[in-house]
Amino acid sequence: MSALTSRNGRRALIAAGVVLLAAFPVLNGSIYYQNMLILTFVLAIVASGWNIMSGYTGYVSLGHCAFIGIGAYTAGIAAQHWGVSPFVVAPLGGVTAALAALLLGFVTRRTRGAAFVIVSFAMLELTGLVIRNWKSLTGGSSGLLMPVPTWDVSIQDWPFYYALLLLLVLSVALTAWIARSKLGIGLVAIRDDEDKAAGIGVTTGLHKSLAFMASAVLVGMAGAVYGYYISFLDPSAMFDIVLSVEAVLAAMLGGRGTVWGPILGAFILEPLAEVTDSQLGGVNAGAIRLIFFGGLLLAVVLVLPRGIIPQATEFLRRRRQRGKTSPVGARLLDSEIPATPVLRHVRPVAAGDVEPPLLELSGVTRRFGALTAVDDCTFQVPQGSISALIGPNGSGKTTVFNLVDGTYPVSAGQIRFAGQRIDGLGRTRRTFVGVARTYQLPRLFESLTVQQNVTAASGRFHLAGLARSAVSGTEAARARELLEFVGMGNYLDARAGALSYGQRKLVELAQVLMLDPQLILLDEPCAGINPTLIRRLASLIRALNEAGQTFLIVEHDMSFVLSLADPVVVLARGTVLATGTPDAISADAAVKEAYLGEDHVLTQAMTGGTT
Ligand code: ADP
Ligand code: MG
């Protein structure tokens, strides 16, 4: 077990495995086992590719073996056309498969969940149909003959074996690299909550395109080698859903969303299938195989819903942590506020500067059917201020945030940010311009760790930055600094899904700070958290504001708002009722009538304020 848990142990184990597989055909002349391993490699490569699209990114595909077929046909046709070995044109198979994946991504760019599963299956059927009917190019249903291997029979199927072993090693390396990169963290963020991901600067369209291409390219190359190996391409065998289902099953058995899960699953599944075939063979072999896979799929879902590797890792982690206490909340709450992290992009406002307001809403209206949630709303957020937006429940405060950050388009009116119109920009573009927001109910990526949740955020577009490591280096260091600042430094490696409500709010604050935003919108930051934490939050906001950070805060805790914010904007039924200093707002008769009531000053005195 220790070999599995230490880094060097794992490396040695992997190296030993590769050496063993590389030596196998030389040491053992059995063509039977050689072929079994070849099929295992193919399955492992398909499962591994599937895992990038479906395991990490969460777009479950049932058509992944289409990329095997596309790669095989591309190489077969090119080899015939140019009279070269399919090995030479295998990379071309990878390229066509990647382009097909890109097309799939484009067609399904607004499709999620079950709809995507169906489209992926349709893609498989459709590709088969095209191949069957494009007779002049593909030979149609009578099939396509691959060139005959020219090497000496004494080396058996070695070239296929080693080519596929190489592609398998590359598949693992590609997955491992993606999993550690900022791209990979973004993919998991998309899987957990795609809309939220778009709001923290994950370029979802680009991320998905890259992931889809990565998940197809090596499968396409493996298809070229596999097609050469079986020597005859026939559309009904190449585009059969059974191989796709096998790949899904292998990845789920070993653990989707892990580097090694699909490989482990394939190495268990393919030999098992061979055995059932040879033991229970005969005319019904195909049907028996399907029953076998169906039963196994059911068993995996029931017994190992997350797959072998995640569940074994979880088990080991629990055993290691038995007896050790987890970091406690009390220490966090009592600790001093650390020094404010350097705000990298905030421009401090010099006294006497005449600048346009940072945020300016003029006549903004949003209708949902017959309901007008925000009605001709006009107000401004001055540079460097802590502004507040208050009002009764349902008065449209969250909707204003959704209009400013681009979740919804405005029905009428204009939104300007630092003087520029932003109401036409998409969600991620507005993040890059400098708008960041937290949610009334915090939305973290539950399967990522606390630190990864923060590293997932990027305040500007940086293509090469996607390749950067998300687990070490400057990104991770910045995330750590911000988490320490909000008081969550003890929880870096905790799963976000395991945090309490108040802790989630703090992590979400660190997440938006990672964006280096000009403006931070906080939606009810105090709701549902304890008074100590509220005091802490007020100090954090004040410290950040003193360093130049502008805020717009929606909050019902009046002592919090009145002690912190200036100006205060009061919203009622989607319209601005009053704007002014906290004192003016507390004294305003219309505001008292609509929202605060007569006794709010008394309530403030009783809770003692937040200063
Ligand atoms: P607040 O945050 O001030 O409590 P909201 O902005 O959430 O209020 O909601 C304002 C009004 O808009 C409510 O009546 C709410 O039901 C409605 N509303 C908000 N979002 C939607 C939506 N996506 N579809 C339909 N109605 C909505
Ligand atoms: Mg709200």
Side-chain angles (χ1 to χ4, degrees):
M1 275 304 144
S2 66
L4 272 176
T5 44
S6 89
R7 194 165 186 187
N8 284 335
R10 263 204 306 269
R11 283 198 178 144
L13 216 64
I14 296 166
V18 174
V19 169
L20 209 68
L21 283 175
F24 182 81
V26 186
L27 301 177
N28 183 317
S30 157
I31 201 99
Y32 173 76
Y33 286 114
Q34 217 174 91
N35 292 347
M36 187 195 281
L37 278 170
I38 285 178
L39 293 179
T40 308
F41 294 165
V42 172
L43 181 61
I45 294 165
V46 182
S48 190
W50 179 88
N51 186 40
I52 296 176
M53 182 191 288
S54 308
Y56 283 97
T57 321
Y59 279 77
V60 176
S61 150
L62 262 189
H64 229 73
C65 74
F67 300 124
I68 284 275
I70 291 169
Y73 268 97
T74 307
I77 293 163
Q80 209 174 49
H81 205 77
W82 293 322
V84 294
S85 156
F87 281 135
V88 176
V89 285
L92 204 60
V95 171
T96 11
L99 289 177
L102 193 62
L103 185 69
L104 173 70
F106 180 74
V107 172
T108 57
R109 67 197 180 286
R110 306 226 183 284
T111 318
R112 292 181 195 174
F116 183 84
V117 179
I118 293 167
V119 177
S120 72
F121 177 60
M123 168 196 73
L124 178 70
E125 293 294 308
L126 203 71
T127 324
L129 216 64
V130 169
I131 302 274
R132 208 164 288 143
N133 287 294
W134 198 343
K135 293 201 177 80
S136 57
L137 191 69
T138 64
S141 35
S142 41
L144 185 79
L145 206 57
M146 288 294 233
V148 182
T150 46
W151 57 80
D152 196 86
V153 290
S154 67
I155 59 165
Q156 303 170 321
D157 286 331
W158 292 9
F160 300 124
Y161 183 98
Y162 286 111
L164 288 168
L165 181 59
L166 174 68
L167 288 172
L168 177 59
V169 170
L170 290 177
S171 297
V172 173
L174 179 67
T175 312
W177 177 74
I178 289 179
R180 284 177 63 86
S181 71
K182 194 138 173 156
L183 170 67
I185 300 288
L187 297 180
V188 178
I190 289 173
R191 180 184 75 196
D192 282 1
D193 185 344
E194 188 163 343
D195 292 325
K196 157 89 188 197
I200 56 157
V202 174
T203 48
T204 51
L206 177 70
H207 273 69
K208 286 193 289 185
S209 301
L210 291 174
F212 282 24
M213 289 201 289
S215 86
V217 64
L218 292 170
V219 177
M221 289 176 71
V225 179
Y226 175 67
Y228 194 13
Y229 167 71
I230 58 173
S231 77
F232 176 72
L233 306 182
D234 142 48
S236 53
M238 279 326 266
F239 297 92
D240 183 0
I241 192 167
V242 172
L243 178 59
S244 280
V245 173
E246 256 186 272
V248 175
L249 188 52
M252 288 188 43
L253 177 66
R256 58 194 186 281
T258 64
V259 176
W260 289 98
I263 316 297
L264 177 68
F267 273 79
I268 295 172
L269 207 62
E270 188 59 42
L272 260 182
E274 282 294 323
V275 171
T276 50
D277 272 7
S278 56
Q279 297 300 309
L280 310 165
V283 278
N284 290 328
I288 289 175
R289 207 166 157 133
L290 269 184
I291 294 173
F292 172 71
F293 285 145
L296 202 61
L297 184 61
L298 203 66
V300 168
V301 169
L302 288 177
V303 184
L304 287 168
R306 288 164 55 209
I308 296 171
I309 289 185
Q311 288 189 301
T313 329
E314 178 68 20
F315 176 76
L316 288 178
R317 198 183 58 81
R318 286 241 173 93
R319 258 189 36 173
R320 254 205 319 278
Q321 283 192 340
R322 202 182 290 160
K324 288 185 203 162
T325 49
S326 55
V328 279
R331 269 179 52 210
L332 148 80
L333 300 176
D334 293 336
S335 65
E336 292 292 309
I337 304 289
T340 313
V342 188
L343 295 175
R344 297 181 294 193
H345 280 260
V346 170
R347 283 175 300 134
V349 193
D353 254 9
V354 193
E355 287 206 45
L358 186 54
L359 180 71
E360 197 178 1
L361 277 73
S362 25
V364 169
T365 301
R366 170 69 202 191
R367 290 179 210 98
F368 295 108
L371 174 85
T372 306
V374 175
D375 191 3
D376 194 19
C377 188
T378 301
F379 71 90
Q380 301 176 345
V381 174
Q383 287 271 11
S385 69
I386 302 178
S387 303
L389 185 62
I390 63 172
N393 282 317
S395 55
K397 306 179 298 293
T398 299
T399 307
V400 166
F401 277 17
N402 285 334
L403 295 171
V404 172
D405 87 344
T407 305
Y408 302 137
V410 295
S411 306
Q414 299 184 352
I415 303 174
R416 280 173 210 280
F417 189 77
Q420 306 289 319
R421 283 282 291 268
I422 58 163
D423 45 85
L425 301 182
R427 189 83 192 282
T428 312
R429 284 286 300 284
R430 293 196 208 186
T431 307
F432 292 159
V433 167
V435 182
R437 64 98 52 109
T438 64
Y439 293 83
Q440 195 169 337
L441 297 171
R443 283 164 72 172
L444 295 181
F445 307 112
E446 307 237 320
S447 48
L448 291 177
T449 67
V450 165
Q451 185 170 3
Q452 286 171 332
N453 259 280
V454 179
T455 9
S458 2
R460 63 209 163 90
F461 177 67
H462 190 216
L463 185 60
L466 292 179
R468 218 184 274 162
S469 167
V471 287
S472 58
T474 50
E475 297 283 307
R478 174 70 174 166
R480 208 174 312 123
E481 180 190 9
L482 293 172
L483 281 163
E484 267 154 22
F485 172 66
V486 299
M488 290 297 290
N490 285 339
Y491 292 82
L492 297 180
D493 295 322
R495 297 250 148 237
L499 297 182
S500 74
Y501 188 76
Q503 291 171 333
R504 281 166 197 250
K505 293 219 151 186
L506 292 175
V507 175
E508 213 174 41
L509 182 60
Q511 201 174 42
V512 296
L513 286 173
M514 185 78 179
L515 298 169
D516 300 316
Q518 298 290 329
L519 172 65
I520 298 181
L521 310 169
L522 298 176
D523 200 347
E524 304 203 10
C526 303
I529 64 178
N530 67 52
T532 332
L533 202 51
I534 292 180
R535 266 201 296 282
R536 185 188 168 80
L537 202 60
S539 327
L540 292 180
I541 291 171
R542 198 169 287 121
L544 286 167
N545 181 249
E546 273 159 17
Q549 181 69 55
T550 311
F551 287 93
L552 175 62
I553 304 177
V554 163
E555 184 47 63
H556 288 297
D557 182 332
M558 274 311 120
S559 51
F560 181 87
V561 167
L562 297 179
S563 68
L564 213 57
D566 188 14
V568 178
V569 179
V570 186
L571 215 58
R573 293 205 194 87
T575 317
V576 175
L577 190 66
T579 309
T581 63
D583 290 340
I585 291 296
S586 320
D588 190 300
V591 176
K592 274 187 195 159
E593 158 104 41
Y595 180 48
L596 295 179
E598 287 299 338
D599 57 348
H600 94 94
V601 182
L602 185 67
T603 331
Q604 186 189 356
M606 277 164 62
T607 53
T610 50
T611 35

